[in-house]
């Protein structure tokens, strides 16, 4: 499965070398602006000779994020400056640091974990494909349930109207 393979590759590269985690998404931008920024960021990463593994992250707003193996911190900083990124993660051999764009370290650690978006964690990450599958399934269920509910409500209202007419007829016959 693609998700499992991507997670295995990320984990191996996380434990065995330099890496960066960045996103072109910015809080306050439109969806279109964010997707355009992310596309340009990914193109630039390729132009620099690196590859990346896309996944879904969350920081103030859900976003597309990329894990960039083998990237040196100076190259990562070039991207941060060029794309005016709010923050970035730089790591080496299983240790990572979350930096603000001004270089101030916010958080550091040495753990690699994937958490569910509905968990109590502030920051979470999911592989893009899995998230898309879940959203599509949820949308399909919601649409089906919405149609069924509308049909049920219409049938119920129609039935109640018929009963009301029948009661009015009976009431009219009793009065005359």
């Amino acid at each position: 499965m693609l998700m499992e393979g991507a997670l295995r590759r990320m984990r191996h590269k996380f434990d065995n070398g330099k890496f960066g985690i960045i996103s072109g998404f910015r809080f306050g931008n439109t969806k279109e602006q964010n997707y355009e920024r992310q596309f340009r960021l990914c193109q630039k990463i390729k132009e620099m000779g690196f590859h990346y593994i896309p996944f879904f992250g969350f920081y103030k707003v859900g976003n597309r994020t990329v894990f960039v193996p083998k990237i040196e911190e100076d190259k990562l900083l070039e991207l941060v400056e060029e794309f005016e990124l709010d923050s970035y993660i730089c790591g080496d051999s299983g240790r990572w640091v979350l930096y603000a764009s001004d270089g101030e370290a916010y958080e550091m650690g040495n753990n690699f974990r994937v958490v569910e978006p509905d968990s109590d964690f502030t920051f979470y990450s999911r592989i893009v494909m899995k998230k898309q599958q879940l959203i599509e399934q949820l949308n399909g269920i919601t649409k089906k349930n919405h149609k069924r509910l509308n049909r049920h409500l219409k049938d119920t209202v129609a039935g109640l109207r018929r009963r009301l007419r029948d009661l009015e007829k009976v009431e009219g016959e009793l009065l005359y």
Side-chain angles (χ1 to χ4, degrees), residues 65-159:
T65 304
V66 291
F67 178 92
V68 186
K70 299 182 181 178
I71 192 166
E72 297 286 335
E73 189 170 3
D74 61 329
K75 296 291 185 189
L76 194 58
L77 287 172
E78 285 178 31
L79 294 169
V80 169
E81 289 174 16
E82 182 175 340
F83 290 90
E84 300 174 338
L85 304 181
D86 294 329
S87 60
Y88 62 99
I89 292 175
C90 187
D92 189 3
S93 301
R95 298 200 176 281
W96 55 265
V97 180
L98 169 64
Y99 293 100
S101 58
D102 64 4
E104 181 182 343
Y106 278 124
E107 196 173 336
M108 59 183 58
N110 60 359
N111 56 344
F112 179 97
R113 66 177 182 240
V114 177
V115 297
E116 293 297 323
D118 59 351
S119 72
D120 293 332
F121 293 99
T122 304
F123 306 104
Y124 65 86
S125 297
R126 298 281 301 181
I127 298 298
V128 174
M129 295 302 290
K130 185 65 176 174
K131 178 187 175 283
Q132 283 304 114
Q133 290 171 358
L134 293 173
I135 287 173
E136 289 171 12
Q137 290 172 358
L138 180 60
N139 286 340
I141 290 169
T142 302
K143 286 177 185 175
K144 286 178 187 174
N145 285 342
H146 185 69
K147 288 178 183 178
R148 288 180 187 156
L149 180 60
N150 277 344
R151 191 170 46 245
H152 177 70
L153 289 173
K154 285 179 183 178
D155 291 346
T156 301
V157 169

